[in-house]
Amino acid sequence: MADLLSTAVSALSAYSRGLETTSHNIANVATDGYSRQRVLYGTREAQAYGNGWVGSGVNATSIERVYDQFLGLQYRTTTSGLGRQEVFATLAGRVSALFADADAGFGAALQRFVNAVQDVAAAPTSIPARQVLLAEANALAGELRAQDERLARLAAEVNGRVGAAVSDVNGIAASIAGLNERIVSAQARTGQPPNDLLDERDRLVDQLSARVAVSTVAQDDGALNVFIGTGQPLVLGPQAMPLSAQPDAYDPATLRVGIKTAAGFVDVTASLSGGELGGLLDVQRQVLDPARRTLGQLAVGLAEAVNSQQRAGMTLTGAAGSDLFAVGGVQVLANESNAGSGSVAAARADISQLTAADYVLELGGSGWSLRRADTGDAVAMTGSGTAADPFRADGLEFVVSGAASAGDRFLVRSTFGAASGAQALLTDPAGFAAALPVRAAAAAANSGGASAASLSVVDPANPALRTTATITFTSATTYSINGGPDTAFVPGTPIDFNGWRLALDGTPAAGDVFTVSSNAAGLGDNRNALALADALSGRSLNGGTASLADVFGRLVADVGVQTRQAQLSRDALALVQGDARAAIDSVSGVNLDEEAANLVRLQQAYQAAAQVVRVADSLFDTLLGAIGR
């Protein structure tokens, strides 16, 4: 009788656990991140009798949660990717909208300025046309400043959001570490997994993956280690390693993300990816910084094209032309850890070779070296770094002074921020140099077929620029200037003298004379204005391969392509994440119909076990009655 009762009681206890677990599932049907639980049953050890083995009932051996680790990993991966693409698409879209407006922005302002130059070329002495040109120059410089300022404000917003995201990551990491401690303690005390705590921890890891891409490694004691980047620990058991957002070693306006350790700050910015934090950092390094550098390159290219042509021309008063535009200079930022007292001065030397890149100039054991800040690739330099013989590389010149120490580094920004200093310098409409200061004329008695094709100024600083020069052809293949020695004439090769360049068409004859003289009376001359219009459309950037319009068009296209790709990826990942969530719910979610069926089945089993107890009680009473008689 005792065996029958014991077996029935074991069933009552086991099915009671089942009913409690089913009730718990039903109660948490709407709980976010809850994984349904089920009771695992095991047969109790049978008892041996002389004629065989008799079973002794059932035990509820464990309560486990129904959770698929692979599906959970897939969901976190897609969540991390979606978080990155949502942030990237939104912020990149704002940058794209800044540049893509055909009726506003730099592109439209540049076209209006070119149109104004052409209007002055059509009427060189018109003061109203010149006033419009100066107004458009001011508008163009203002548009460069405004766009750079908008990008700077967006960068500041990104910095603020990076700091907030780091705080969120740290808060979640601390909560995970706290749960690790509770889970390890609970599992050590009972030997069974604390399912509700595991669900809470997984929910936090899912939230963390929306902020930054993570990887996890489970320990035997139940703790979960969390890593970011290329394996940097964020949570190790009950200990969280908080992230820190600190100012960049070169530029305090830019934040770097790292982990504080006993050895100091470990920068992990470059290795972070995914999630909101990864998206913010990617926007900073892939969109905002390149856009500001390219905008600066446009400002520098514009100023060089206009100013060089201005200096080569003559104003309405007959004076030499002066610069029309000014832009910000090359930025040189010393690393905060520099130990020496050295300094670096950098300037733009050859605009055609200038790249929209940042560089790191570093003093090593064998001297100064230069590398790209974005790729780390070494850049060859010439010169010795002195004022008389500066270092030269990629269109820049560097002069090093002071006593730098080995390991000292300087960040050199060739174009970054140049647009922020853009301004129009001329205020007098007569100061626009529409004319050339020299003119060429062929003698009326010339008998050859040569004619002056073009005359340009190549060295406006030459003091003899406006001095009259007479070119006399001593033969069809030689000429002399001002009675000097004969010089070979090669058709198609221009003649350079006193800072001007004369190109001839046709074949001259012996005795032909050409005169280059001052154009002081040529106030209606428009040749320099025409040359400026040509220069604005010329390929003067990126090694002579791109014009201002080309560079701006590539900037608009690059940002637009990145934005569109992020939008497509965001939409695709949203679908993938939905499928991943549905897959998890199909495995771990609570199904009320299934739980209702389990409830009925367990209720019936419990009632049957109770009936066995009743039978055992009745049999025991019968036995007691028999003994009593």
Side-chain angles (χ1 to χ4, degrees):
M1 296 301 97
D3 291 340
L4 181 62
L5 180 61
S6 175
T7 299
V9 169
S10 73
L12 287 174
S13 177
Y15 296 140
S16 176
R17 300 289 84 77
L19 287 168
E20 292 166 358
T21 301
T22 301
S23 173
H24 186 53
N25 287 341
I26 294 172
N28 285 280
V29 65
T31 301
D32 183 35
Y34 177 80
S35 299
R36 67 185 177 91
Q37 300 173 14
R38 64 187 177 192
V39 178
L40 299 182
Y41 299 99
T43 304
R44 297 174 69 183
E45 185 177 352
Q47 297 181 10
Y49 289 89
N51 58 347
W53 294 82
V54 177
S56 59
V58 63
N59 282 330
T61 59
S62 179
I63 301 175
E64 69 171 9
R65 62 182 187 139
V66 182
Y67 184 78
D68 190 311
Q69 296 288 348
F70 174 77
L71 293 178
L73 175 61
Q74 185 181 40
Y75 177 74
R76 288 171 191 160
T77 301
T78 55
T79 297
S80 181
L82 179 59
R84 187 264 183 193
Q85 300 297 352
E86 283 181 333
V87 170
F88 195 98
T90 300
L91 294 176
R94 289 167 62 181
V95 178
S96 180
L98 173 65
F99 292 130
D101 190 344
D103 299 322
F106 175 79
L110 176 62
Q111 186 57 54
R112 290 194 300 269
F113 178 71
V114 172
N115 294 342
V117 171
Q118 293 172 340
D119 289 343
V120 173
T125 59
S126 171
I127 294 300
R130 288 169 172 265
Q131 288 175 326
V132 170
L133 186 146
L134 296 188
E136 294 298 345
N138 274 290
L140 181 54
E143 190 59 41
L144 285 168
R145 292 195 306 273
Q147 291 196 344
D148 186 80
E149 182 182 354
R150 294 187 192 105
L151 291 174
R153 285 201 302 266
L154 192 54
E157 177 186 331
V158 168
N159 274 344
R161 293 179 63 175
V162 166
V166 166
S167 296
D168 287 347
V169 168
N170 289 340
I172 296 173
S175 296
I176 293 174
L179 281 171
N180 273 343
E181 187 172 16
R182 294 173 60 190
I183 289 169
V184 169
S185 175
Q187 190 162 309
R189 185 170 64 252
T190 64
Q192 298 295 328
N195 296 316
D196 293 332
L197 293 181
L198 295 176
D199 280 344
E200 178 64 15
R201 187 176 65 185
D202 284 337
R203 185 180 66 82
L204 288 175
V205 175
D206 290 344
Q207 290 181 4
L208 185 61
S209 67
R211 271 74 173 181
V212 66
V214 299
S215 59
T216 58
V217 176
Q219 295 183 181
D220 292 338
D221 61 0
L224 188 71
N225 296 332
V226 182
F227 303 90
I228 59 174
T230 55
Q232 289 78 18
L234 183 64
V235 178
L236 292 178
Q239 184 178 7
M241 313 287 186
L243 293 179
S244 176
Q246 294 191 359
D248 182 77
Y250 296 105
D251 182 9
T254 301
L255 289 181
R256 307 291 292 179
V257 179
I259 298 175
K260 286 185 176 180
T261 67
F265 180 77
V266 179
D267 192 340
V268 298
T269 306
S271 63
L272 293 179
S273 63
E276 178 187 4
L277 183 56
L280 291 169
L281 295 174
D282 284 345
V283 165
Q284 182 75 58
R285 56 198 170 203
Q286 296 179 20
V287 178
L288 291 177
D289 286 350
R292 293 192 71 185
R293 287 194 292 265
T294 302
L295 195 64
Q297 184 186 24
L298 288 169
V300 171
L302 171 69
E304 175 64 17
V306 175
N307 292 344
S308 61
Q309 203 63 53
Q310 268 284 108
R311 292 190 293 268
M314 184 178 69
T315 70
L316 200 58
T317 62
S322 59
D323 289 352
L324 174 55
F325 288 110
V327 296
V330 178
Q331 294 182 3
V332 179
L333 306 174
N335 191 286
E336 63 179 11
S337 63
N338 286 358
S341 60
S343 62
V344 175
R348 305 177 186 103
D350 185 353
I351 304 303
S352 67
Q353 298 301 317
L354 200 65
T355 65
D358 293 346
Y359 302 87
V360 175
L361 186 66
E362 182 175 3
L363 179 60
S366 58
W368 291 94
S369 62
L370 188 69
R371 58 182 171 85
R372 289 273 298 243
D374 53 351
T375 64
D377 294 340
V379 179
M381 292 193 301
T382 61
S384 58
T386 64
D389 183 28
F391 291 128
R392 294 180 179 86
D394 285 359
L396 295 174
E397 289 183 348
F398 310 93
V399 175
V400 180
S401 59
S405 299
D408 284 359
R409 292 168 292 168
F410 297 85
L411 179 67
V412 180
R413 290 174 159 177
S414 58
T415 61
F416 192 96
S420 65
Q423 57 179 318
L425 302 175
L426 291 182
T427 57
D428 183 1
F432 179 70
L436 279 180
V438 290
R439 61 187 180 91
N446 285 357
S447 60
S451 61
S454 66
L455 178 65
S456 60
V457 174
V458 294
D459 182 12
N462 192 308
L465 176 65
R466 299 196 188 192
T467 302
T468 300
T470 302
I471 305 170
T472 303
F473 280 87
T474 54
S475 71
T477 57
T478 59
Y479 65 88
S480 67
I481 300 179
N482 294 338
D486 283 357
T487 302
F489 173 71
V490 179
T493 301
I495 300 171
D496 286 6
F497 190 71
N498 284 354
W500 47 257
R501 175 172 294 164
L502 175 65
L504 299 178
D505 279 344
T507 304
D512 283 359
V513 176
F514 291 86
T515 302
V516 178
S517 59
S518 173
N519 190 34
L523 300 182
D525 184 12
N526 67 352
R527 287 175 295 162
N528 202 52
L530 293 174
L532 175 56
D534 290 339
L536 289 171
S537 61
R539 299 180 182 275
S540 59
L541 299 177
N542 294 339
T545 63
S547 65
L548 292 170
D550 292 336
V551 171
F552 182 69
R554 289 173 190 172
L555 172 61
V556 174
D558 287 345
V559 176
V561 167
Q562 290 186 81
T563 301
R564 184 56 180 160
Q565 288 176 341
Q567 291 170 343
L568 292 175
S569 296
R570 176 198 60 196
D571 296 342
L573 284 171
L575 296 176
V576 174
Q577 186 198 42
D579 292 341
R581 182 73 260 175
I584 291 176
D585 291 342
S586 69
V587 173
S588 303
V590 176
N591 185 309
L592 290 178
D593 291 338
E594 181 181 352
E595 298 301 328
N598 285 337
L599 195 64
V600 171
R601 180 173 60 84
L602 291 169
Q603 179 187 15
Q604 292 174 343
Y606 189 92
Q607 290 172 341
Q611 184 64 32
V612 173
V613 172
R614 185 177 296 109
V615 170
D617 179 64
S618 175
L619 291 176
F620 190 65
D621 287 343
T622 300
L623 178 61
L624 290 178
I627 294 174
R629 282 197 296 269

